[in-house]
Amino acid sequence: MEYASDRLITYTDRNGPGISMPCLVLCLIILLVLGFLPVLPGGLTIFFRPAFILICLLSSRGGIYRFGAEKWMLINLAYYVVIFFAFPITSSSFETVVSMELFGLFFILAASRPWSRHEIKLIIKTVAVACCICAVVVLYSNPSLLRSSGNQHINYLSAEINRNAMAFSVVPGVLCGAVFMLWGKKRLFGAAALILCSYTAFAIGCRSAFYALAIGVFLMFWEKCREMTDKDKRFSAKLGIIAVTIVILIIIFYVSSGTYSHRLFDPSDSSGRDKIWETAWELIHQKPVFGGGYDYWSDSGNTMGTHSTFLTIMLFSGYVGGALLAIFLIFVTFEVLKGHNLVPLAFATELFCHTYSEPGMDYYAYIPLILAYIFVRYFRYKSSDIRSLFN
């Protein structure tokens, strides 16, 4: 293996602008996860990450970027294995640690691989299409979604799926739509994806997902303003973005009045999280350093998730695990800022919001994180102009 420090690894693209097998597999996984996951059989989905990992390892297209935050992910994965063997081994603990290890390797291989310009364009187009499919199906299956009672689950055709998961599944489509609308040639397609997926996430009423898309889109438009060379026009454009954002939020506030989505503007509505977090902290304080193992939370009589990735990690791996996760996220933040472009940060925002409100890191955390890394490494090693992706 070759490594790159401050430059892009050099490799031979045998098919010129062709698409590699790892890219095709990644796009297929993205399409299935973001577009059809609720109706896919569990026996099929368990092969997604191993298949991608195997294809990447067997791919003849060599070279990887020097590891950044990936090093800390490897340290986290090693620590999770130690925790697994430090406590009684059960089928549930085995499934948990295997899932976490595969997700981590999935991220490392996808983030460190040098994707070509054509592959990146295909990946973000796939994300946008998959999220639009998800949004259309959700709106079709829940014709009164905005006026729904706010049950924990909503319909996805004949399946029931958690509201938060569905909201996070459409956020990448909003951001990829914004990329196409602001810098690509298919601006109408980008605008349609942005509006459709934004409305779906708003109607579902998940605060953290809505905040992720709102902050992400704001960062995208702010970055567009930063490209202006004329200082006066740049300043006026930024004022315009702030004014439009305020107006849109006011409109959304009044539209959501009397609906479940009004909770987006009510931070006091904890939906029972406060009690869950209190219980989790009590258990963490009983075994603070190395945690109580993967079955600690369920063996204590809890059936619901913690609604916090940090609490979940600290429950089974203690403050040590929480610190390692925090260090990983800090390095992610540093790296997405190294490209001197706000687009990677816009995608990473979903990861941060997901970590805060969801019980663990899954595809809805790792897919936007991978997109953030794809963009930041393109900016650092290939071109600082995002428009070059669409030439």
Side-chain angles (χ1 to χ4, degrees):
M1 283 285 188
E2 287 184 74
Y3 293 86
S5 53
D6 294 323
R7 62 182 178 83
L8 174 68
I9 204 74
T10 57
Y11 60 91
T12 301
D13 190 346
R14 294 181 177 179
N15 298 315
I19 305 300
S20 66
M21 183 58 68
C23 179
L24 292 176
V25 174
L26 178 61
C27 288
L28 179 60
I29 291 174
I30 288 173
L31 180 64
L32 293 175
V33 168
L34 297 183
F36 303 98
L37 186 61
V39 293
L40 294 178
L44 174 64
T45 59
I46 60 176
F47 293 107
F48 287 174
R49 284 161 286 159
F52 176 75
I53 293 168
L54 182 62
I55 290 295
C56 283
L57 294 177
L58 295 178
S59 174
S60 60
R61 187 171 175 173
I64 61 174
Y65 294 110
R66 180 181 290 276
F67 284 174
E70 294 99 326
K71 291 185 294 188
W72 287 100
M73 173 56 72
L74 284 173
I75 294 173
N76 275 271
L77 296 182
Y79 181 64
Y80 298 153
V81 173
V82 172
I83 292 297
F84 172 70
F85 287 107
F87 295 90
I89 297 175
T90 64
S91 59
S92 60
S93 67
F94 177 77
E95 291 175 3
T96 301
V97 74
V98 168
S99 177
M100 296 177 69
E101 297 294 316
L102 289 176
F103 269 123
L105 294 174
F106 172 68
F107 157 69
I108 291 171
L109 291 172
S112 61
R113 182 179 179 82
W115 303 101
S116 71
R117 177 171 61 87
H118 299 278
E119 289 176 331
I120 295 174
K121 188 163 62 173
L122 177 61
I123 290 170
I124 60 176
K125 185 183 294 185
T126 301
V127 171
V129 170
C131 292
C132 286
I133 292 173
C134 178
V136 169
V137 173
V138 167
L139 294 176
Y140 170 79
S141 303
N142 305 270
S144 301
L145 181 61
L146 185 60
R147 300 289 174 179
S148 64
S149 61
N151 293 329
Q152 183 181 2
H153 293 82
I154 59 176
N155 296 323
Y156 190 98
L157 297 178
S158 60
E160 285 192 344
I161 191 72
N162 183 273
R163 300 179 73 96
N164 291 1
M166 278 292 88
F168 275 110
S169 70
V170 298
V171 173
V174 177
L175 304 181
C176 289
V179 171
F180 277 104
M181 186 179 74
L182 295 174
W183 294 283
K185 296 179 181 179
K186 298 181 179 180
R187 297 186 176 181
L188 184 60
F189 164 73
L194 187 152
I195 294 172
L196 175 62
C197 295
S198 293
Y199 173 76
T200 304
F202 161 70
I204 291 174
C206 171
R207 272 193 300 259
S208 49
F210 181 78
Y211 295 161
L213 77 85
I215 295 172
V217 171
F218 181 86
L219 291 173
M220 295 271 192
F221 278 88
W222 197 262
E223 178 60 35
K224 185 67 176 179
C225 291
R226 293 173 62 190
E227 297 176 356
M228 298 181 179
T229 55
D230 187 283
K231 291 184 178 180
D232 292 334
K233 290 183 179 180
R234 185 167 63 242
F235 179 75
S236 299
K238 289 181 178 180
L239 286 181
I241 288 176
I242 294 173
V244 171
T245 300
I246 294 173
V247 170
I248 291 176
L249 289 176
I250 292 174
I251 293 173
I252 292 175
F253 176 82
Y254 282 105
V255 169
S256 67
S257 181
T259 71
Y260 178 75
S261 295
H262 194 67
R263 66 189 300 272
L264 299 174
F265 302 93
D266 182 14
S268 63
D269 179 12
S270 66
S271 300
R273 281 188 173 91
D274 290 345
K275 293 182 178 179
I276 295 175
W277 289 348
E278 182 179 349
T279 302
W281 277 114
E282 290 176 355
L283 292 173
I284 292 170
H285 290 155
Q286 293 176 19
K287 299 182 178 181
V289 181
F290 301 110
Y294 294 102
D295 296 324
Y296 187 33
W297 179 248
S298 58
D299 287 348
S300 300
N302 298 286
T303 56
M304 294 184 62
T306 62
H307 288 285
S308 169
T309 300
F310 272 101
L311 291 181
T312 300
I313 296 296
M314 286 191 289
L315 277 164
F316 67 71
S317 63
Y319 283 110
V320 175
L324 289 176
L325 176 61
I327 293 172
F328 167 71
L329 294 177
I330 290 171
F331 271 81
V332 166
T333 304
F334 286 156
E335 284 205 276
V336 297
L337 295 176
K338 284 182 179 179
H340 304 290
N341 190 296
L342 296 176
V343 171
L345 181 60
F347 282 97
T349 299
E350 181 175 358
L351 164 70
F352 302 140
C353 292
H354 188 279
T355 302
Y356 171 77
S357 66
E358 298 305 300
M361 293 176 63
D362 51 27
Y363 282 116
Y364 305 128
Y366 279 109
I367 287 178
L369 177 59
I370 289 169
L371 293 172
Y373 266 75
I374 288 175
F375 274 105
V376 77
R377 284 174 169 163
Y378 181 83
F379 295 142
R380 289 187 66 191
Y381 302 120
K382 291 190 176 183
S383 173
S384 59
D385 187 358
I386 190 173
R387 290 171 296 184
S388 62
L389 280 172
F390 304 96
N391 293 336

